[in-house]
Amino acid sequence: MNRFLWKSRKSLTMFLGVLALYSTIRVRKYAYEASVFLPMVPPNEPWEFIADFSNMKFLNPTIVDFTITEESGNYEHWKYSVEYAENLSHWPHLANHATAHFQVKSNLKKGIYVIQSAHETCLFLGIYCLKSQSEFKFFRSNITNGSICQENVAYECPAILSTFCKREVRFQREAIMTNLQRKFLKN
C-alpha cells in the first residue's frame, strides 16, 4: 500500500507540473485597436505612406532592418511579403524576426483604403513563433475635413506574458499613430 501511495503522489505531482507548464506556455489571442485623426489630409495619402514598408522604420522605432521578398499587383490591389527584424521596446536585448504578408487595397468608389497583414514573429532563434493579423483602414471623416486612420490588431501571446505583450503592442501602435500624425501635420 505504501508503494501505491507513492506512485499516486508522483503521478499527481507530474500531472500538476504538466498542467502548470501548459498554463504557462499556452497561447491565447488578444486584440488591440488604435486610431488617429489627420485633419485636412485625404485618406489615400497616409494609406500610400504606410503601404510603403520602407516608411515603417520611421513609424515603428522597434524595426531594425527589412527585406522585401516578393511583390505583385497594381494600385487597387497590391501584395507583397517582407522579412524584418525588430527589437522589443521593453526588452531590447531580445531581438525577433518576422515574416509578413501584406495586401494593400483601395475601393475608390467608397473612398476606403485598407492594408491587411498577417505576421509570424519568431523569438529565441526561431524556436518560438507567434502569429498576428492587422487591418489598417483609412477613410474620410463624415464630421470634419480629414481622414481617420484606424488599425485593429489580433495577436497571440503566452498567457503568462500577456501584460508584456499588451505593453509591446500598445507601444508600437501608439508610436505608429504618433509618428503618422507628426508626418502629416508638419506638411
Side-chain angles (χ1 to χ4, degrees):
M1 176 156 169
N2 196 13
R3 184 178 175 129
F4 177 74
L5 185 62
W6 181 82
K7 282 191 173 187
S8 64
R9 282 186 184 164
K10 183 179 178 184
S11 297
L12 180 63
T13 303
M14 286 188 65
F15 174 76
L16 291 175
V18 168
L19 185 63
L21 179 64
Y22 170 74
S23 64
T24 300
I25 62 172
R26 184 185 80 199
V27 173
R28 294 188 62 201
K29 294 185 179 191
Y30 301 91
Y32 190 80
E33 182 181 316
S35 63
V36 68
F37 174 71
L38 302 175
M40 308 300 289
V41 176
N44 66 308
E45 289 182 19
W47 173 71
E48 289 172 358
F49 187 76
I50 290 179
D52 181 356
F53 198 83
S54 63
N55 293 322
M56 269 300 161
K57 285 180 86 170
F58 165 74
L59 294 171
N60 185 348
T62 64
I63 293 180
V64 178
D65 197 16
F66 72 93
T67 303
I68 303 291
T69 56
E70 64 182 275
E71 61 182 317
S72 64
N74 57 32
Y75 186 80
E76 291 170 357
H77 190 177
W78 176 37
K79 297 179 187 179
Y80 68 94
S81 297
V82 62
E83 293 177 356
Y84 62 94
E86 64 182 348
N87 292 325
L88 299 176
S89 64
H90 294 92
W91 195 16
H93 309 294
L94 181 62
N96 62 56
H97 299 277
T99 303
H101 305 285
F102 289 85
Q103 291 196 44
V104 181
K105 302 175 186 178
S106 65
N107 186 333
L108 299 177
K109 291 178 185 173
K110 293 184 178 180
I112 298 174
Y113 301 85
V114 178
I115 300 172
Q116 296 170 324
S117 60
H119 304 252
E120 184 175 56
T121 304
C122 297
L123 304 160
F124 309 117
L125 302 172
I127 295 172
Y128 194 67
C129 297
L130 300 167
K131 295 182 180 185
S132 63
Q133 294 182 330
S134 167
E135 183 175 70
F136 214 140
K137 289 183 179 179
F138 307 83
F139 50 93
R140 184 163 302 284
S141 169
N142 292 332
I143 300 168
T144 59
N145 188 17
S147 299
I148 297 173
C149 308
Q150 180 181 40
E151 185 178 24
N152 292 304
V153 179
Y155 63 96
E156 295 178 337
C157 183
I160 197 165
L161 297 175
S162 63
T163 303
F164 176 79
C165 292
K166 184 176 182 178
R167 281 182 28 198
E168 186 65 30
V169 169
R170 185 181 330 134
F171 173 83
Q172 289 184 17
R173 300 305 86 167
E174 287 178 4
I176 288 170
M177 296 302 175
T178 299
N179 289 331
L180 185 63
Q181 199 171 30
R182 192 174 294 145
K183 159 75 177 147
F184 284 97
L185 292 183
K186 73 176 183 179
N187 284 345

